[in-house]
Amino acid sequence: MAETEVAGLAPATGQTTARWNALPIVEAVVLVVALALPMVLPDYLTVFATRVAILALFALSFDLVWGYAGIMSFGQALFFGAAGYGVALLGRDLNISNLLIVLPVGVLIGFAFALLLGGFLLLGRHPTSMIFVALGTLTGSYAADRLARGWYYLGGQNGIPSIPSMTLGSYELDEGPVFYYFALALLVVVYLLCRFLVRSQFGLALAGLRENETRIAFFGYKTQHLKAIVFAIGGAIAGLAGSLYAFHEGFVWPNMVGVVISTQVVLYVLFGGSGTLIGAVIGTVIIEGVSFWLSDNYREIWPIILGVLLLFVIMFRPLGLISFVLSERERVGRFGIGPQKGDHGAS
């Protein structure tokens, strides 16, 4: 009986019930709104919206690692900030700002750092616990923050200012609608790639890994290798976001690799809804938007108000805001072909 219900069949009559998928609708609405924003927003808010789009890309990297593979990476900013510093050094010391060079370099930096840290934390002789990985990544982020603050070559406390504008040939990609649409296009492309990944056989293994790692290992999967792979992919996406962020803001600073932004991205995903991808995007938009409005209107107490709001959502809606419109089945996703209409009697 359970199989027929999952497949969307009416158990009593064998007739197919109407299946309403909310996820494509939510994704389409978010995309349409995002495309229209520069047409209705003033210039300074378009710049803010670009920053939010880049942070949403960063949030995708964490949701892929935690929401799908169950790896609590409390140091995701390490890959974000390391890529930012890397491309900033290219711009400062070598005067390289071509996006066809700096963005792939940022992706490679994020990927390499995640592969090294993931290899250390995840590829031991015995499976590691979530707490061990969380504390290990947190320690890595904290150490990188201390290193950046104390290393004169990286600018110390002041970071690296006056990064040249990102270019494509002779064209300079300055902040504004053009940079916004470029960042949005990268966000959409990465989102679609992540959606394809989590709906593939690899994604099915990740879902099983998150729910019951022992059982997945019993089926013959090398769970530690799966974790290391998705951890490195998440690092690469974070590296792309960090590279964009560095050129958009025009400078990098130690907080980019530190604990604050690492915690911030956890809140984005928790608030929007983990394990959905679109929830990470929505959580980033809402938290950044509310923070912007509160800081402008309640300058003294806005962090308290925001903290209380986040606490209420996490307490009363632990699956995030996206759970208001997505069912648990749609959050997990459907893999393969379900039972056909004539197969209901077999259950």
Side-chain angles (χ1 to χ4, degrees), residues 56-78:
L57 183 60
F58 179 39
L60 282 182
S61 74
F62 178 75
D63 193 25
L64 187 64
V65 170
W66 180 46
Y68 286 92
I71 305 170
M72 174 50 76
S73 174
F74 260 128
Q76 200 70 5
L78 172 60

Side-chain angles (χ1 to χ4, degrees), residues 195-257:
R195 175 64 66 209
F196 172 78
L197 181 68
V198 300
R199 289 294 185 260
S200 67
Q201 186 67 27
F202 180 76
L204 177 59
L206 289 181
L209 186 67
R210 178 189 59 200
E211 299 299 326
N212 194 321
E213 182 175 345
T214 303
R215 184 171 295 178
I216 291 297
F218 177 78
F219 288 150
Y221 286 97
K222 296 182 178 180
T223 58
Q224 291 164 280
H225 291 177
L226 288 175
K227 287 184 176 181
I229 291 170
V230 74
F231 193 75
I233 294 173
I237 298 171
L240 175 61
S243 304
L244 281 173
Y245 196 84
F247 280 103
H248 182 258
E249 299 301 305
F251 70 101
V252 293
W253 66 105
N255 278 354
M256 280 186 66
V257 296

Side-chain angles (χ1 to χ4, degrees), residues 14-98:
Q15 298 299 316
T16 305
T17 60
R19 178 184 290 160
W20 182 72
N21 293 333
L23 182 57
I25 298 174
V26 174
E27 292 170 335
V29 169
V30 171
L31 179 60
V32 169
V33 171
L35 289 171
L37 282 180
M39 305 175 191
V40 298
L41 293 179
D43 290 343
Y44 77 97
L45 285 181
T46 300
V47 173
F48 172 73
T50 307
R51 185 182 305 123
V52 173
I54 297 171
L55 290 174
L57 183 60
F58 179 39
L60 282 182
S61 74
F62 178 75
D63 193 25
L64 187 64
V65 170
W66 180 46
Y68 286 92
I71 305 170
M72 174 50 76
S73 174
F74 260 128
Q76 200 70 5
L78 172 60
F79 321 125
F80 177 79
Y85 268 98
V87 299
L89 291 173
L90 283 179
R92 185 192 70 180
D93 298 344
L94 301 176
N95 199 29
I96 296 176
S97 59
N98 190 306

Side-chain angles (χ1 to χ4, degrees), residues 257-279:
V257 296
V259 176
V260 173
I261 294 186
S262 291
T263 306
Q264 196 172 303
V265 73
V266 175
L267 294 177
Y268 293 156
V269 176
L270 270 177
F271 191 81
S274 65
T276 62
L277 297 180
I278 193 63

Side-chain angles (χ1 to χ4, degrees), residues 166-184:
M166 191 161 52
T167 61
L168 181 60
S170 60
Y171 181 78
E172 291 190 356
L173 200 64
D174 295 319
E175 60 183 21
V178 176
F179 204 124
Y180 171 81
Y181 281 118
F182 178 67
L184 180 62

